[in-house]
């Protein structure tokens, strides 16, 4: 091989054909930067044609600890496939000296799908905490402008960023990175700061400090750079989901058109097969901790796709391997007594979500619909639906369950639970009933429930069901227009309904309840307790 | 080339370099009377980790004795001693004697890579797209003063007490630029030092960071 020293370098044609590299400045999409703010980077194998884009993730056979990585890699694959937005996703439930490998792979895999940091991060050259400002270029003056604003929180809506060029796609209607539009594309998200809501001077990013300003505390986007020891962050934030969904709106950045795609990550095993698109493994000589290296190619400007993706980890750290189901809770069924049931763990990520797999391991599958059965309530049809064994259960929903068997213990196994925005159906004038379920392992007071409006704003129970003329809006017939969701819910204790209202009552583990809504496109948000966050 | 014309990564590299230099831990060399002099010190910083007490620090002395300090988050947490095998010490000295060890200039390398990138893109008409997310910055310090054992480093005038090699994304930079000798030499050195950190049967001195 011909070698050149720095001093000897001569710029010949042959020279120019050498590979070159650089840690490119990345935006909210990898490869976006100054002069190329609008670049949108798509995941591997997307060609501009709509449909399912399959991306195979493999563990390098040359790596150490390959089998220890498997469960976490599978979980992360499921997490990005599921694209479920969560809040309170920062959990302090692992020992302080450990690093959660699943959380780190979750972050790096996001990069390997084309997502960059949502904050300025270390590539800005700034020190902590200034690197928590929202992702931008440094603008024409070549200096990051870092006005913190009156709230004294970096990365919030009132920052003053001077001529810095925005790289963070934001939700146009509310600039709230802890919310998600029902349709994610260029009609609902933009880079243009001229479209910021009135009173906002900067794009907010889903940093944990910013989360408190949006009444969504203890939440951070997975793509925010920064991993704390003793902290797990295994589920996606709203902003993570928004960014990947925005890419999936295709080359025309319009959802619902022919070039839309859905990523389908698959696990390729411990393999060096040529069709592995993302390769994960330990190699201490390639990283001091964790890294994602990606190559890209243009589809058509400003769209690019990932052409190579490698994740390396350093095995010198005290990695916490998620080799077993992290959340497992059980209840003992009372024979011949209907139970309103919910799931205290997130299913469908590290475990199957089906009725057969979650309940059928404790109850005889062959006896389904004979000695035990499960129903859900459909608010659209105002009818109960009997679940099939292959139907997927969902955390946040309520179910009716009964068995004729005595003393059966039923366990639910899944992923750590996090806050969910549970969609609830409503209707003006008549209202609609919904059967919701607590997604938590510990009790939460009903009084802390809030309602998420279509624009992402939050209503407490009093605002959701105001007193109008001496009667609650949701209790009136017809339902008063100011009724969002009734402030009262009803759970079942085996023989009677128990009322939950702002004055008292808890949703306990496995509890489900009826709620009544008078408006469309709402969601119920139950706040995770601080104890829940630190419970292993 | 004006700074504005440089890729962001290169411009920010110079900013990062200044930051890293200002934050470098004050490595303690055992230069007391009768103690062997430090031959080399190796550590790194990582974008996802705190700047202090989160990465290992390896010091190798002129007689082959070694001291490694691992943070609490690592498997070998604590302060350890070890002895470098003679063949590895010889390999290390051979690497340290390479001319690039004295002349290593990360900023010049970054400039050269930027120039090459621009030239390649001009010829091919295509932008080279490659990104490293969550970087590691390799930090190697080579004392060159009298008694360090590195007096024979080429070009050593005795005026510089410590030669610092600070390189972001060294492994991939070396991989992508196989003809830049300085990067190859630094990468060889970094691989050796990392291997020493990973494979030495360390004896715990006690204490944790």
């Amino acid at each position: 091989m011909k070698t050149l020293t720095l001093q000897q370098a001569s710029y010949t044609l042959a020279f120019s054909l050498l590979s070159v590299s650089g840690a490119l400045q990345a935006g909210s999409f990898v490869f976006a930067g100054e002069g190329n703010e609008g670049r949108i980077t798509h995941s591997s194998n997307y060609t501009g044609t709509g449909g399912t884009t399959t991306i195979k993730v493999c563990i390098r056979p040359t790596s150490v600890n390959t089998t220890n990585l498997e469960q976490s890699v599978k979980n992360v694959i499921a997490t990005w496939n599921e694209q479920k937005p969560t809040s309170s996703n920062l959990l302090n439930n692992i020992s302080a000296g450990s690093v959660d490998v699943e959380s780190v792979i979750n972050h790096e895999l996001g990069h390997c799908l084309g997502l960059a940091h949502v904050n300025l991060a270390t590539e800005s050259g700034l020190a902590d905490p200034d690197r928590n400002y929202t992702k931008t270029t440094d603008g024409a003056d070549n200096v990051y402008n870092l006005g913190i604003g009156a709230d004294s929180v970096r990365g919030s809506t009132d920052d003053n960023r001077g001529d810095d060029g925005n790289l963070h796609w934001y939700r146009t209607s509310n600039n709230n990175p802890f919310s998600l539009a029902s349709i994610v594309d260029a009609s609902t998200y933009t880079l243009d700061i001229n479209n910021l809501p009135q009173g906002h001077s900067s794009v907010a990013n889903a940093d944990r400090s910013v989360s408190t300003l949006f009444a969504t505390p203890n939440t951070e986007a997975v793509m925010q750079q920064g991993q704390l020891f003793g902290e797990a962050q295994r589920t996606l934030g709203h902003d993570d989901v928004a960014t990947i969904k925005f890419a999936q709106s295709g080359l025309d950045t319009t959802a619902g058109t022919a070039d839309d795609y859905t990523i389908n990550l698959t696990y390729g095993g411990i393999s060096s097969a040529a069709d592995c698109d993302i390769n994960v493994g330990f190699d201490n000589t390639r990283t001091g901790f964790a890294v994602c290296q990606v190559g890209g190619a243009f589809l058509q400007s400003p769209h690019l796709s990932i052409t190579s993706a490698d994740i390396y980890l350093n095995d010198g750290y005290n990695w916490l391997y998620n080799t077993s189901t992290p959340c497992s809770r059980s209840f003992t069924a009372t024979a011949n007594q209907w139970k309103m049931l919910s799931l205290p763990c997130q299913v469908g990520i590290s475990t199957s979500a089906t009725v057969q797999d979650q309940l059928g391991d404790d109850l005889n599958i062959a006896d389904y619909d004979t000695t035990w059965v499960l129903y859900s309530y459909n608010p659209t049809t105002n009818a109960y639906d009997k679940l099939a064994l292959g139907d997927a259960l969902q955390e946040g929903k309520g179910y009716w369950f009964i068995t004729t068997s005595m003393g059966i213990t039923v366990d639910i196994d899944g992923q750590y639970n996090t806050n969910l925005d549970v969609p609830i159906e409503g209707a003006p004038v008549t209202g609609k009933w919904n059967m919701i379920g607590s997604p938590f392992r510990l009790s939460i007071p009903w009084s802390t429930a809030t309602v998420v409006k279509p624009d992402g704003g939050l209503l407490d129970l009093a605002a959701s069901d105001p007193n109008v003329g001496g009667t609650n809006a949701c209790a009136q017939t017809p339902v008063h227009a100011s009724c969002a969701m009734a402030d009262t819910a009803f759970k079942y204790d085996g023989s009677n309904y128990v009322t939950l209202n702002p004055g008292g009552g808890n949703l306990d583990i496995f509890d489900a309840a009826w709620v009544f809504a008078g408006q469309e496109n709402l969601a119920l948000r139950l706040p995770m307790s601080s104890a829940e966050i630190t419970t292993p | 080339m004006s700074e504005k014309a440089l890729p962001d990564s290169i411009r920010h590299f110079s900013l990062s370099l200044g930051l890293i230099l200002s934050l470098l831990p004050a490595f303690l060399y055992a230069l007391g009377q009768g103690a062997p002099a430090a031959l080399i010190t190796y550590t790194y910083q990582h974008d996802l980790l705190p700047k202090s007490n989160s990465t290992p620090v390896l010091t190798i002395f002129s007689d082959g004795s070694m001291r490694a300090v691992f943070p609490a988050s690592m498997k070998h947490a604590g302060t350890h001693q070890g002895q470098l095998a003679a063949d590895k010490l010889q390999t290390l000295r051979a690497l340290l004697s390479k001319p690039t060890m004295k002349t290593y200039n990360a900023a010049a390398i970054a400039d050269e890579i930027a120039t090459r990138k621009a030239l390649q893109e001009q010829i091919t008409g295509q932008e080279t797209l490659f990104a490293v997310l969550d970087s590691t910055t390799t930090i190697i310090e080579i004392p060159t003063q009298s008694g360090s054992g590195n007096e024979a480093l080429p070009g050593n005038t005795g005026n510089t007490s410590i030669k610092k090699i600070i390189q972001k994304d060294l492994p991939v930079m070396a991989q992508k630029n196989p003809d830049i000798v300085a990067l190859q030499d630094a990468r060889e050195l970094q691989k050796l030092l990392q291997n020493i950190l990973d494979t030495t049967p360390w004896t715990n001195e006690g204490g944790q960071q």
Side-chain angles (χ1 to χ4, degrees):
Chain A
M1 180 180 67
K2 181 184 177 185
T3 58
L4 300 175
T5 65
L6 282 172
Q7 293 76 21
Q8 292 168 330
S10 59
Y11 303 118
T12 62
L13 177 60
F15 193 126
S16 71
L17 295 176
L18 295 170
S19 295
V20 294
S21 77
L24 297 180
Q25 168 83 350
S28 290
F29 284 107
V30 175
F31 302 125
E34 193 157 336
N36 298 301
E37 289 85 349
R39 280 184 178 175
I40 298 166
T41 302
H42 302 271
S43 53
S44 305
N45 301 330
Y46 178 61
T47 60
T49 303
T52 299
T53 298
T54 300
I55 304 153
K56 186 180 282 190
V57 184
C58 303
I59 297 175
R60 283 188 201 83
T62 53
S63 170
V64 297
N65 297 329
T66 49
T67 53
N68 286 343
L69 284 175
E70 281 199 286
Q71 185 65 52
S72 287
V73 168
K74 290 176 185 175
N75 293 349
V76 170
I77 286 170
T79 298
W80 281 100
N81 279 341
E82 194 171 33
Q83 295 176 23
K84 178 187 291 183
T86 65
S87 50
S88 284
N89 64 341
L90 297 172
L91 304 181
N92 304 114
N93 53 4
I94 62 175
S95 67
S98 297
V99 190
D100 185 48
V101 78
E102 188 166 318
S103 302
V104 173
I105 296 173
N106 208 20
H107 176 87
E108 301 303 338
L109 194 82
H111 286 316
C112 285
L113 292 174
L115 275 56
H117 296 128
V118 299
N119 56 320
L120 285 175
T122 45
E123 57 263 30
S124 66
L126 296 168
D128 197 34
D130 282 344
R131 61 180 64 145
N132 290 326
Y133 281 100
T134 299
K135 192 74 166 181
T136 61
T137 69
D138 58 11
D141 63 4
N142 291 331
V143 174
Y144 288 108
N145 297 283
L146 305 175
I148 197 167
D151 61 18
S152 297
V153 174
R154 294 166 178 81
S156 66
T157 60
D158 74 345
D159 294 350
N160 183 353
R161 299 298 308 278
D163 70 349
D164 296 352
N166 179 43
L167 292 171
H168 189 294
W169 294 86
Y170 69 95
R171 190 177 177 188
T172 318
S173 64
N174 61 8
N175 189 24
N176 179 349
F178 305 97
S179 70
L180 183 70
S182 55
I183 294 173
V184 180
D185 63 12
S187 70
T188 51
Y189 286 78
T190 184
L191 282 178
D192 187 353
I193 59 171
N194 292 314
N195 294 330
L196 282 167
Q198 192 169 15
H200 293 202
S201 56
S202 181
V203 175
N205 79 76
D207 175 83
R208 64 186 68 195
S209 298
V210 179
S211 73
T212 59
L213 302 177
F214 284 98
T216 315
N218 208 47
T219 306
E220 191 164 85
V222 165
M223 298 317 298
Q224 207 275 358
Q225 187 194 50
Q227 164 90 24
L228 300 182
F229 296 125
E231 181 176 272
Q233 189 182 16
R234 294 176 173 174
T235 58
L236 304 182
H238 293 70
D239 190 68
D240 303 309
V241 176
T243 312
I244 197 78
K245 281 188 179 295
F246 187 87
Q248 290 175 151
S249 68
L251 301 183
D252 62 3
T253 62
T254 302
T257 54
D259 66 353
D260 294 3
Y261 65 100
T262 304
I263 60 167
N264 175 38
L265 295 160
T266 61
Y267 178 55
I270 301 169
S271 168
S272 57
D275 63 348
C276 293
D277 299 300
I278 300 174
N279 299 284
V280 185
F282 289 100
D283 187 339
N284 295 3
T285 72
R286 289 185 178 272
T287 179
F289 184 66
V291 68
C292 165
Q293 300 174 357
V294 290
F298 278 98
L299 292 171
Q300 65 180 53
S301 185
H303 294 269
L304 309 93
S305 67
I306 299 292
T307 54
S308 67
D310 292 285
I311 295 172
Y312 295 102
L313 305 163
N314 184 308
D315 89 318
Y317 287 83
N318 290 323
W319 293 107
L320 173 71
Y321 297 104
N322 182 12
T323 55
S324 60
T325 306
C327 176
S328 182
R329 290 294 185 275
S330 61
F331 69 93
T332 300
T334 303
N336 300 310
Q337 185 178 91
W338 285 99
K339 177 178 178 60
M340 286 180 88
L341 177 68
S342 67
L343 307 182
C345 308
Q346 287 196 25
V347 296
I349 297 178
S350 57
T351 57
S352 167
T354 64
V355 174
Q356 175 174 315
D357 292 335
Q358 284 292 345
L359 278 73
D361 58 342
D362 304 312
L363 297 149
N364 194 338
I365 292 172
D367 291 338
Y368 186 68
D369 201 25
T370 304
T371 64
W372 64 284
V373 72
L374 208 62
Y375 284 88
S376 64
Y377 177 73
N378 185 335
T380 304
T381 59
N382 188 26
Y384 290 111
D385 295 329
K386 184 167 66 184
L387 274 71
L389 284 167
D391 284 347
L393 297 166
Q394 296 174 39
E395 57 280 356
K397 285 194 70 171
Y399 300 94
W400 279 114
F401 167 80
I402 194 168
T403 177
T404 58
S405 304
M406 299 284 288
I408 297 290
T409 298
V410 178
D411 56 25
I412 299 296
D413 298 315
Q415 183 59 271
Y416 289 124
N417 44 16
T418 54
N419 265 17
L420 300 170
D421 289 347
V422 181
I424 50 177
E425 286 192 30
V429 182
T430 58
K432 282 187 179 179
W433 287 99
N434 295 257
M435 206 168 160
I436 60 93
S438 168
F440 301 129
R441 296 165 291 172
L442 302 177
S443 296
I444 46 167
W446 174 249
S447 59
T448 59
T450 52
V451 176
V452 185
K453 297 189 294 181
D455 66 0
L458 294 178
L459 298 171
D460 63 17
L461 291 177
S464 174
D465 189 8
N467 188 302
V468 180
T471 306
N472 280 18
C474 297
Q476 299 185 19
T477 306
V479 173
H480 192 272
S482 61
C483 163
M485 187 193 79
D487 66 0
T488 302
F490 303 92
K491 67 177 187 179
Y492 189 69
D493 68 2
S495 54
N496 295 296
Y497 279 112
V498 177
T499 301
L500 309 175
N501 56 44
N506 292 334
L507 274 175
D508 301 316
I509 184 170
F510 288 113
D511 270 357
W514 290 107
V515 298
F516 182 81
Q519 294 178 18
E520 297 174 337
N521 299 317
L522 301 174
L524 172 67
R525 182 175 293 179
L526 299 167
M528 179 182 276
S529 67
S530 57
E532 184 97 26
I533 291 167
T534 55
T535 299
Chain B
M1 179 180 287
S2 71
E3 189 185 20
K4 188 61 185 172
L6 287 171
D8 285 346
S9 57
I10 305 302
R11 285 189 289 115
H12 296 145
F13 176 82
S14 60
L15 290 172
S16 303
L17 189 62
L19 180 67
I20 289 166
L21 285 170
S22 68
L23 295 173
L24 268 178
F27 295 143
L28 299 176
Y29 296 100
L31 290 173
Q33 205 167 19
L39 188 64
I40 193 168
T41 298
Y42 166 66
T43 188
Y44 55 83
Q45 292 181 344
H46 189 277
D47 284 354
L48 289 177
L49 298 175
K51 285 287 181 227
S52 59
N53 300 334
S54 63
T55 56
V57 180
L58 168 68
T59 305
I60 302 175
F61 299 94
S62 56
D63 64 352
S65 61
M66 299 187 291
R67 185 168 185 264
V69 180
F70 294 90
S73 56
M74 298 194 79
K75 292 175 184 172
H76 297 297
T79 302
H80 303 263
Q81 290 181 337
Q83 181 65 40
L84 189 59
D87 59 332
K88 281 192 175 176
L89 183 59
Q90 190 175 8
T91 303
L92 176 60
R93 287 193 181 280
L95 284 170
L96 289 174
S97 70
K98 293 195 172 189
T100 52
M101 293 297 143
K102 180 64 182 175
T103 59
Y104 198 91
N105 184 334
I109 291 172
D111 282 345
E112 178 171 330
I113 290 172
T115 304
R116 291 178 177 207
K117 183 174 188 292
L119 187 61
Q120 184 182 31
E121 290 174 1
Q122 187 179 358
I123 291 170
T124 64
Q126 288 187 323
E127 185 178 342
T128 306
L129 295 165
F130 188 82
V132 179
L133 292 311
D134 302 322
S135 296
T136 300
T137 300
T138 299
I139 303 168
I140 297 171
E141 295 191 357
I142 309 170
T144 57
Q145 76 274 28
S146 177
S148 68
N150 290 324
E151 297 90 335
L153 270 178
N156 184 19
T157 62
N159 295 327
T160 306
S161 60
I162 296 176
K163 172 62 184 175
K164 292 176 180 173
I165 295 175
I166 301 173
Q167 182 63 58
K168 190 174 184 180
D169 300 321
L170 175 58
V172 72
M173 295 278 273
Q175 182 184 356
K176 294 285 183 181
N177 299 278
D179 65 327
I180 297 182
V181 175
L183 277 176
Q184 301 309 314
D185 290 347
R187 170 66 168 150
E188 282 304 303
L189 180 59
Q190 179 259 338
K191 282 167 70 175
L192 175 65
L193 295 168
Q194 185 63 47
N195 177 266
I196 292 169
L197 259 183
D198 290 340
T199 62
T200 297
W202 296 107
T203 303
N204 199 327
E205 249 181 37
Q208 286 199 357
Q209 259 199 335

